[in-house]
């Protein structure tokens, strides 16, 4: 199974895959304009025709959606179309999936995620936003096969039946995505409601033995039973819940697999001073100096990193946070670090490794990819950091290799 996010970024396409494409309409339009057969274009122009949203843009969207299924041996391709139904940006994508449904028949289904708000003052759930959303979807020729209702409160059978009746959806295809303590509990909740079986039935696929989800449920069990707390401070400047989402989840999972309950505290680096750093880092078993280039908040990161290293607090730096604590860095030019850990940050020059990347770097373009063949020879794009810390042996506690 592969997932496509048509409103996300182009990182995978830039490397070797087709599983993501970004700001879809603009990228696809540019691709068509750059690669449309010149002779055919001139002929069409003489006949009064030109490149249009329909069919050229929509055909390209459909081609990309189906590309993975044609090139690789996936059983299912999941395509997520972000945004809100009715947004002008998503109109070409709506039309493309409308066409695909009719072209593929039972081999394609539409799953629509909607919101069922809870009015605290009235103490009741409202299904009107869901009904209106489905009506908007139907107005562009798309009938949802499955509805997933996002909700803060549990939806009883009566509400689900009401939604099914008003939205022309089978009752067993109306499932709820209720607020849960952890996102990792969502797949189990979906399975308990029969979402997987409903999708297979709609596609006329055989329904086999119900998956036990053993490792997944074991992870949830360990997560629930972990009681010993480990407190980690995230030192950064972005005071938003999702700003360091991947870092948060990595730390939470690391805690679970070590039977610990990870307690994360955001520490705003803009508020850290020499005078209050001790108080702000008080009670932390370790800190992570988070990414985030730019002048804002950098002094607080420097103070926090220096304090933690001189007060025996385990410190982990990521990206800029890593570069701060070593002797030297060479990403742009030779730059002195805080010399808190002996070693240097230098370019990874290994041809035998696949290196995950984020940052401004020069790319070696895969000219076999039709999306990239028209790019300049040596563009710099936001794609990767191919730098790593080389530590003195005395400071190395573990080794990790990319692969």
């Amino acid at each position: 199974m592969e997932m496509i996010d048509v409103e996300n970024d182009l990182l995978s396409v830039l490397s070797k895959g087709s599983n993501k494409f970004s700001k879809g309409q603009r990228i696809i339009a540019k691709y068509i304009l750059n690669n449309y057969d010149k002779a055919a274009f001139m002929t069409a122009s003489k006949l009064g025709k030109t490149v249009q949203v329909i069919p050229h843009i929509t055909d390209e969207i459909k081609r990309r959606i189906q590309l993975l299924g044609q090139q690789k041996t996936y059983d299912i391709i999941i395509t997520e179309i972000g945004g809100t139904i009715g947004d002008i940006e998503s109109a070409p994508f709506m039309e493309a999936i409308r066409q695909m449904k009719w072209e593929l028949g039972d081999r394609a289904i539409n799953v629509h995620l909607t919101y069922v708000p809870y009015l605290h003052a009235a103490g009741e759930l409202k299904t009107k936003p869901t009904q209106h959303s489905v009506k908007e979807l139907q107005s562009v020729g798309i009938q949802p096969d499955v509805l997933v209702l996002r909700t803060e409160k549990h939806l009883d059978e009566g509400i689900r039946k009401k939604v099914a009746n008003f939205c022309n959806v089978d009752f067993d295809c109306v499932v709820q995505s209720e607020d849960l303590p952890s996102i990792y509990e969502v797949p189990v909740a979906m399975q308990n409601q029969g979402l997987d079986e409903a999708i297979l039935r709609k596609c006329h696929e055989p329904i086999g033995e119900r998956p036990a989800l053993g490792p997944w449920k074991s992870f949830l069990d360990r997560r629930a039973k972990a009681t010993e707390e480990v407190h980690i401070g995230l030192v950064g400047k972005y005071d938003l819940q999702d700003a360091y989402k991947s870092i948060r989840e990595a730390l939470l999972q690391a805690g679970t697999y070590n039977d610990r309950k990870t307690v994360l505290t955001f520490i705003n680096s803009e508020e850290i001073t020499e005078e209050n750093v001790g108080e702000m880092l008080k009670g932390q078993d370790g800190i992570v100096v988070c990414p985030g280039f730019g002048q804002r908040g950098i002094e607080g990161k420097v103070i926090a990193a220096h304090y933690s290293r001189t007060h025996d607090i385990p410190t982990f730096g990521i990206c800029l946070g890593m570069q701060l604590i070593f002797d030297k860095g060479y990403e742009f030019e030779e730059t002195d670090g805080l010399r808190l850990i002996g070693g240097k940050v230098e370019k990874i020059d290994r041809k035998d490794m696949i290196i995950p990347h984020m940052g401004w770097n020069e790319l070696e373009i895969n000219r076999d990819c039709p999306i990239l063949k028209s790019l300049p020879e040596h563009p710099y794009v936001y794609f990767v950091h191919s730098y790593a810390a080389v530590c003195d042996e005395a400071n190395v506690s573990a080794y990790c290799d990319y692969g």
Side-chain angles (χ1 to χ4, degrees):
M1 180 182 290
E2 185 91 10
M3 182 156 183
I4 307 173
D5 184 346
V6 298
E7 293 281 352
N8 216 318
D9 57 33
L10 198 57
L11 299 186
S12 296
V13 179
L14 285 172
S15 53
K16 62 177 181 178
S18 307
N19 58 321
K20 291 184 183 179
F21 48 93
S22 135
K23 300 303 176 191
Q25 186 174 354
R26 185 175 71 248
I27 297 294
I28 291 173
K30 184 177 179 181
Y31 166 73
I32 290 173
L33 292 174
N34 287 344
N35 297 280
Y36 196 89
D37 183 84
K38 297 296 188 298
F41 181 80
M42 292 302 294
T43 302
S45 298
K46 291 177 182 178
L47 296 174
K49 298 179 181 180
T50 186
V51 176
Q52 298 179 333
V53 173
I54 301 171
H56 302 106
I57 302 294
T58 51
D59 283 354
E60 179 59 18
I61 293 171
K62 291 189 294 180
R63 186 190 73 81
R64 294 193 187 199
I65 289 174
Q66 298 180 81
L67 192 60
L68 285 168
Q70 295 166 356
Q71 292 182 342
K72 301 180 182 180
T73 56
Y74 296 116
D75 297 314
I76 297 173
I77 301 295
I78 300 176
T79 303
E80 177 190 359
I81 298 181
T84 303
I85 180 63
D87 287 350
I88 191 170
E89 295 91 344
S90 63
F93 297 96
M94 295 295 107
E95 174 59 20
I97 64 171
R98 183 196 68 79
Q99 293 178 20
M100 284 192 66
K101 175 63 178 175
W102 287 105
E103 292 169 3
L104 298 178
D106 293 336
R107 293 174 55 226
I109 67 167
N110 295 315
V111 180
H112 187 39
L113 175 69
T114 72
Y115 181 48
V116 179
Y118 177 75
L119 300 182
H120 290 272
E124 60 181 341
L125 291 151
K126 291 293 185 180
T127 63
K128 279 294 186 289
T130 290
Q131 295 177 44
H132 182 72
S133 179
V134 172
K135 182 181 177 182
E136 284 290 309
L137 201 61
Q138 291 170 335
S139 73
V140 297
I142 300 172
Q143 168 62 46
D145 299 287
V146 177
L147 288 177
V148 178
L149 309 181
R150 189 70 183 87
T151 174
E152 299 174 43
K153 301 286 186 177
H154 182 76
L155 305 180
D156 59 31
E157 188 173 299
I159 291 178
R160 291 173 54 225
K161 282 185 176 179
K162 179 181 178 181
V163 170
N165 290 334
F166 278 96
C167 298
N168 301 329
V169 177
D170 295 336
F171 174 68
D172 64 344
C173 291
V174 179
V175 301
Q176 59 182 310
S177 180
E178 186 179 359
D179 282 2
L180 294 169
S182 163
I183 193 173
Y184 302 106
E185 297 179 37
V186 173
V188 177
M190 295 292 104
Q191 185 192 50
N192 290 340
Q193 296 177 76
L195 175 61
D196 49 351
E197 294 182 3
I199 290 174
L200 289 172
R201 278 196 299 273
K202 284 289 182 181
C203 292
H204 297 290
E205 292 290 334
I207 299 174
E209 184 179 350
R210 190 175 194 182
L213 298 181
W216 193 279
K217 291 180 178 178
S218 174
F219 170 81
L220 291 177
D221 185 58
R222 292 181 70 172
R223 186 183 179 91
K225 289 180 178 178
T227 56
E228 185 176 344
E229 294 183 348
V230 55
H231 293 256
I232 304 296
L234 300 179
V235 179
K237 60 183 176 181
Y238 303 122
D239 195 1
L240 298 169
Q241 181 178 345
D242 287 346
Y244 305 110
K245 185 65 174 177
S246 59
I247 296 173
R248 288 176 178 271
E249 293 304 322
L251 292 169
L252 291 171
Q253 289 192 31
T256 297
Y257 284 112
N258 285 279
D259 300 308
R260 300 291 189 276
K261 182 178 180 179
T262 307
V263 180
L264 301 176
T265 303
F266 174 74
I267 302 170
N268 195 325
S269 61
E270 291 186 272
E271 299 175 3
I272 298 176
T273 65
E274 294 282 5
E275 291 72 29
N276 68 12
V277 61
E279 183 63 28
M280 293 195 74
L281 300 187
K282 185 178 179 180
Q284 302 302 323
D285 297 310
I287 70 166
V288 174
V289 184
C290 296
F293 281 90
Q295 191 67 26
R296 184 166 65 90
I298 188 67
E299 291 184 7
K301 290 183 180 182
V302 170
I303 293 170
H306 185 271
Y307 181 90
S308 63
R309 293 303 297 162
T310 55
H311 288 77
D312 201 28
I313 300 175
T315 306
F316 183 57
I318 299 178
C319 195
L320 175 62
M322 172 184 70
Q323 297 185 28
L324 286 174
I325 61 180
F326 285 89
D327 288 339
K328 290 182 181 295
Y330 293 89
E331 185 163 5
F332 299 105
E333 58 186 24
E334 185 175 314
T335 306
D336 287 336
L338 298 177
R339 302 182 184 276
L340 300 177
I341 297 179
K344 57 187 176 180
V345 177
E346 62 181 25
K347 185 175 179 61
I348 301 174
D349 191 19
R350 290 274 301 277
K351 303 299 184 185
D352 59 328
M353 292 196 305
I354 300 173
I355 304 168
H357 292 183
M358 288 184 296
W360 288 99
N361 281 281
E362 188 175 0
L363 286 183
E364 194 172 311
I365 300 296
N366 175 12
R367 297 291 160 183
D368 293 330
C369 177
I371 301 170
L372 305 177
K373 65 182 182 181
S374 61
L375 289 181
E377 192 61 34
H378 296 294
Y380 279 78
V381 298
Y382 190 77
F383 188 47
V384 304
H385 272 318
S386 47
Y387 288 74
V390 181
C391 303
D392 294 345
E393 288 297 321
N395 292 298
V396 176
S397 59
Y399 286 94
C400 174
D401 202 3
Y402 294 118

